[in-house]
Amino acid sequence: MLEMQREILTKEALSLLERVKGRREAEGRFVEALRRVNELRLRLGEPGFRALSCLSRPPSVLLLPVSFQGVPCPQIRVSAPPDTSLHYDAEVLERIGELWGALAALIEVANAEAAIRCISEQLVRLSQIINSLDRNVIPALEDAIRRVEERVAARELEEHVRARRLRGA
Amino acid sequence: MATMEAYVAVRAHGLKSRLLKRPDYEALARGEREVYEYKDYSSIAARDPLEVKVEKVHRVYVSRISLLAESAPELSEYLWALADKLEFENLKLQLRRVLGGGGRPILYPYGRHVGPVRLSEATEEKELWELALSSGLLERVPKREWGSLAEREAFVDFAYVKHLASAVQRVPASGESRRALLEAAAELCSLVAASWSRHLSPEAVASVARAAGLEVKRPPRGGSPEERLLRLARRLELRYPASLPYAFAFDVYATAEARNVERVIVGRSLGMGSSEILASLLLTSP
């Protein structure tokens, strides 16, 4: 049963690894979005840029435990995207959109990485249990069974000999 | 009064000779020199937070205009009006903060009518307009039916142009200087209209300008409003090298320097490359 669970978790981790492969692209997208925001920041001037950022309400995110095949993992869930309704500049809105899109992709990758870490930790624990059972507990139990069987066999032989003696007497 | 105008122009020439040149910006952008190595910016310390550095950069601009205004009290009304653009900018910045309800903007360190500390204490839009009205910064407030922030910000920009044009009427400048400065104010009005026409319809821009007491001519074409303003300054500089319009040109250059130095400091703090920083600058000299 434990080995079956280990197999299921391994498959889950492998499927999550596909999502993590997008990390390089997500990071590149984020760096590019940030570069374009910085260009805008220079052009608008620091006071203007900071005042503009007052107009944006930040996104609302929650950290929730989510079960992956019974393994609880912390996952970021976006409950509300950033509110940009007060902005009027199309270029500013475009930059915010790019940055948020890139950040959302990074959140997806971070979620997958967190899930892989939790599953990996669970796999390590499972392997330790399975190894412990294979190398210590099961051999010890088998040894005990063997010793009990030997003892039983010895008793049977003893009783058989005693019975023969009595029959002979 | 022509003597006083010539005196202001001479002082402005002196101040202009101290403005940073392209090689200075290149050295700053590449990190070969630090901004505090320049005498005018020596108050900026390397350990200052970014906000403080930006504030100190604009203090240099304010001190330059103060020097001009204090050297010619008769013409100071106009010279202070040039610096008043920072107060109008502060009004827009605080408006964004009040409407957005978060963050802490950097306000320019200037307040002839209403200082940044008093402005930053306003927590409601109504309070902000009342403050601007009672301090004499604004003669009128935006119309109630304007729903968009863009219209209200555009109104503040046009109100500054009106404020500048009114100051021209009040100072005892020569007829020629007055005409040139009023033309400059009219062109400034067109530039403001051009920059707001990116966000508002032409009708809305014209309506906002009218509400501020201005009439918008057809917005100019070609080049960004900043570049067109520089071209206007160059024209005035060449035509009026020894009268009050030269002070207008100097103000444009000094404002451009403050923005450029701010861009270099911010760009370097963000780890941007020198070419990116240099591309963002508005260079007034070859």
Side-chain angles (χ1 to χ4, degrees), chain B:
Chain B
M1 198 43 64
T3 321
M4 195 48 80
E5 281 192 49
Y7 180 64
V8 166
V10 168
R11 295 297 300 259
H13 274 283
L15 288 171
K16 185 175 176 274
S17 68
R18 281 160 54 182
L19 295 180
L20 301 183
K21 313 278 186 304
R22 183 187 280 271
D24 298 314
Y25 289 122
E26 285 171 352
L28 283 170
R30 288 196 199 108
E32 293 161 6
R33 292 194 75 174
E34 295 299 331
V35 73
Y36 49 78
E37 291 175 28
Y38 293 91
K39 197 182 164 199
D40 287 358
Y41 296 98
S42 57
S43 65
I44 297 173
R47 63 177 181 282
D48 281 341
L50 185 63
E51 297 82 2
V52 176
K53 284 180 180 169
V54 168
E55 200 186 296
K56 285 181 177 176
V57 166
H58 291 284
R59 270 189 205 286
V60 173
Y61 162 77
V62 172
S63 70
R64 285 168 173 166
I65 298 297
S66 307
L67 197 70
L68 278 187
E70 282 159 13
S71 67
E74 295 89 342
L75 302 171
S76 64
E77 180 69 21
Y78 178 72
L79 298 166
W80 284 122
L82 290 171
D84 288 348
K85 66 171 160 292
L86 296 184
E87 276 188 299
F88 285 85
E89 279 298 316
N90 278 346
L91 190 57
K92 286 181 356 190
L93 300 177
Q94 186 62 16
L95 180 63
R96 287 175 189 173
R97 185 198 177 184
V98 165
L99 292 178
R104 193 166 168 271
I106 304 172
L107 297 183
Y108 293 104
Y110 176 79
R112 190 161 70 104
H113 300 85
V114 51
V117 175
R118 270 182 76 199
L119 261 186
S120 64
E121 282 166 359
T123 52
E124 284 178 22
E125 191 185 351
K126 194 180 161 201
E127 196 183 338
L128 204 57
W129 296 126
E130 277 171 4
L131 200 57
L133 211 54
S134 62
S135 64
L137 185 65
L138 291 182
E139 288 173 14
R140 47 189 114 179
V141 293
K143 290 181 185 174
R144 275 171 189 271
E145 63 263 27
W146 289 345
S148 82
L149 174 64
E151 281 171 307
R152 282 173 273 181
E153 286 194 12
F155 174 81
V156 176
D157 281 348
F158 282 118
Y160 166 66
V161 180
K162 176 74 180 162
H163 176 75
L164 197 62
S166 305
V168 176
Q169 302 283 16
R170 284 198 296 273
V171 290
S174 68
E176 199 185 352
S177 294
R178 195 187 300 263
R179 256 193 315 279
L181 290 173
L182 285 174
E183 273 173 28
E187 195 152 341
L188 201 58
C189 178
S190 298
L191 294 177
V192 170
S195 90
W196 280 106
S197 61
R198 290 193 302 129
H199 313 301
L200 296 167
S201 68
E203 295 77 29
V205 172
S207 157
V208 172
R210 265 196 305 279
L214 294 168
E215 207 55 54
V216 178
K217 290 179 193 161
R218 223 169 86 168
R221 286 181 185 169
S224 70
E226 274 184 328
E227 284 164 350
R228 292 195 65 89
L229 188 61
L230 270 186
R231 261 182 267 165
L232 169 66
R234 277 193 205 111
R235 216 165 54 227
L236 289 176
E237 182 189 2
L238 293 174
R239 270 194 217 163
Y240 306 95
S243 52
L244 194 56
Y246 189 83
F248 177 89
F250 168 74
D251 176 73
V252 172
Y253 297 146
T255 306
E257 179 180 294
R259 295 215 170 124
N260 286 342
V261 174
E262 181 198 305
R263 283 169 180 172
V264 170
I265 290 173
V266 174
R268 279 183 59 185
S269 79
L270 294 173
M272 293 172 80
S274 60
S275 56
E276 277 178 299
I277 295 173
L278 287 169
S280 73
L281 304 185
L282 201 64
L283 298 174
T284 57
S285 64

Side-chain angles (χ1 to χ4, degrees), chain A:
Chain A
M1 222 174 85
L2 288 172
E3 277 178 351
M4 200 161 68
Q5 194 186 356
R6 183 163 71 173
E7 207 172 298
I8 290 168
L9 285 176
T10 307
K11 276 184 188 165
E12 184 71 36
L14 286 173
S15 74
L16 285 167
L17 269 175
E18 286 300 313
R19 277 160 63 186
V20 175
K21 278 181 189 167
R23 179 181 178 156
R24 189 182 286 269
E25 193 195 326
E27 280 177 346
R29 203 174 144 196
F30 184 72
V31 169
E32 179 57 19
L34 211 53
R35 192 189 65 76
R36 284 163 68 86
V37 167
N38 285 344
E39 269 180 15
L40 182 76
R41 185 172 177 172
L42 284 201
R43 196 145 40 79
L44 293 174
E46 194 60 12
F49 180 82
R50 295 224 183 170
L52 267 185
S53 56
C54 291
L55 293 177
S56 305
R57 302 252 160 80
S60 176
V61 292
L62 300 167
L63 195 65
L64 298 171
V66 174
S67 170
F68 283 83
Q69 305 295 341
V71 181
C73 298
Q75 295 283 286
I76 302 167
R77 290 286 180 260
V78 180
S79 55
D83 179 3
T84 57
S85 55
L86 282 170
H87 285 280
Y88 53 80
D89 190 325
E91 194 185 357
V92 171
L93 283 168
E94 197 184 329
R95 296 292 166 273
I96 295 172
E98 286 169 4
L99 194 61
W100 173 239
L103 197 61
L106 274 182
I107 288 174
E108 279 301 302
V109 172
N111 277 342
E113 282 183 351
I116 287 172
R117 204 180 67 191
C118 293
I119 290 172
S120 302
E121 282 168 4
Q122 182 66 9
L123 280 172
V124 168
R125 266 197 298 277
L126 272 178
S127 294
Q128 282 170 346
I129 294 168
I130 291 169
N131 287 344
S132 170
L133 285 172
D134 278 349
R135 290 178 195 166
N136 301 319
V137 180
I138 293 175
L141 286 173
E142 281 174 347
D143 194 40
I145 290 168
R146 191 169 37 82
R147 271 188 275 118
V148 168
E149 280 174 350
E150 279 172 8
R151 182 94 179 147
V152 169
R155 272 204 186 161
E156 274 178 1
L157 189 64
E158 228 173 77
E159 279 171 18
H160 180 71
V161 169
R162 200 179 294 144
R164 279 191 70 179
R165 272 191 195 155
L166 285 172
R167 269 202 299 272

